[in-house]
Amino acid sequence: MKPTLETERLILRPQAESDTVELMAMSMDPQVMEFIGYGAMTLQESEELTQETLEMEGPLGRWIVTERDTGQFLGWVVLTHLDGSEDIEVGYGFKVLAWGRGFATEATRRLLRYGFEDLGLKEIVAVSRPENAASHKVLEKAGLRRRGLRDAFGLRGLYYFVARAGAPVA
Ligand SMILES: CC(C)(COP(=O)(O)OP(=O)(O)OC[C@H]1O[C@@H](n2cnc3c(N)ncnc32)[C@H](O)[C@@H]1OP(=O)(O)O)[C@@H](O)C(=O)NCCC(=O)NCCS
């Protein structure tokens, strides 16, 4: 079971059926998807991904991030196996209207704490396209450090970031 997690401004709750329209709209938005995978998804790809993450059982998977004060849907965060490997990656996407307010950093920090403190993970990793400067900032502010390059999801030379248990989560 995935718990609901809270921060000062945010609520992170497990993805539900009712999030489908918002999530599909995000994965078909070229701005949101500019540096994710192969860009904006088709309707069918988006529906399949949304269903796949909805069905993820157990302590890992996708959380929906809402604003605590307004209940507004802001975006999503994931904690899951990196491209089928043993490594556990953190990832995120926010609606364009929600960018630039520190939400991604706040949600990522909370998810790292959950991973290290509640799940006992030793390491949490992330990959990001070299051009995705905003994402690198988020990862570094949340306490991950760059460790060279890694290939994943059929993409070569992604920036590879690692956070280790016990190291300060910023
Ligand atoms: C990446 C993303 C999650 C950032 O969300 P956010 O809530 O705006 O992030 P934050 O506000 O916590 O932090 C962003 C930081 O990047 C900086 N930033 C934003 N755009 C930038 C750019 N083009 N170049 C450099 N830095 C940039 C911001 O100034 C901020 O840093 P600061 O706090 O030092 O000012 C958001 O842009 C997004 O959803 N992008 C599309 C999905 C995506 O790319 N996900 C990551 C895949 S690896």
Side-chain angles (χ1 to χ4, degrees):
M1 271 299 285
K2 282 172 273 301
T4 292
L5 306 169
E6 298 190 18
T7 70
E8 199 184 327
R9 295 180 297 166
L10 307 173
I11 294 178
L12 284 59
R13 57 160 178 78
Q15 180 183 338
E17 187 88 50
S18 54
D19 300 311
T20 300
V21 171
E22 290 273 23
L23 287 172
M24 285 181 59
M26 285 184 69
S27 52
M28 292 189 290
D29 180 337
Q31 238 182 310
V32 172
M33 297 301 288
E34 184 177 7
F35 303 121
I36 297 187
Y38 298 95
M41 292 182 174
T42 63
L43 184 72
Q44 190 185 340
E45 288 166 340
S46 168
E47 196 166 13
E48 281 168 11
L49 174 68
T50 305
Q51 192 60 30
E52 201 179 294
T53 56
L54 177 64
E55 287 168 5
M56 286 176 82
E57 288 176 353
L60 301 176
R62 175 141 78 163
W63 282 256
I64 300 304
V65 182
T66 62
E67 193 169 20
R68 182 195 278 276
D69 285 351
T70 60
Q72 199 191 343
F73 179 110
L74 300 173
W76 52 265
V77 289
V78 292
L79 196 65
T80 186
H81 286 273
L82 171 66
D83 197 13
S85 73
E86 287 296 301
D87 295 321
I88 303 297
E89 71 156 339
V90 64
Y92 37 72
F94 283 77
K95 286 168 67 161
V96 177
L97 282 173
W99 291 4
R101 295 172 60 193
F103 290 146
T105 304
E106 190 168 323
T108 300
R109 285 178 176 148
R110 184 65 190 88
L111 203 56
L112 291 180
R113 254 183 55 216
Y114 164 70
F116 289 133
E117 293 176 12
D118 298 341
L119 302 184
L121 298 175
K122 298 279 175 276
E123 196 171 88
I124 295 176
V125 308
V127 289
S128 177
R129 289 258 288 272
E131 322 83 286
N132 199 349
S135 181
H136 306 158
K137 266 279 187 70
V138 169
L139 294 170
E140 277 162 8
K141 284 193 293 177
L144 289 92
R145 293 294 164 256
R146 228 193 112 196
R147 298 267 184 268
L149 302 176
R150 182 160 175 172
D151 301 337
F153 309 109
L155 301 167
R156 299 183 68 85
L158 298 173
Y159 279 14
Y160 181 51
F161 293 84
V162 178
R164 299 226 159 82
V169 171

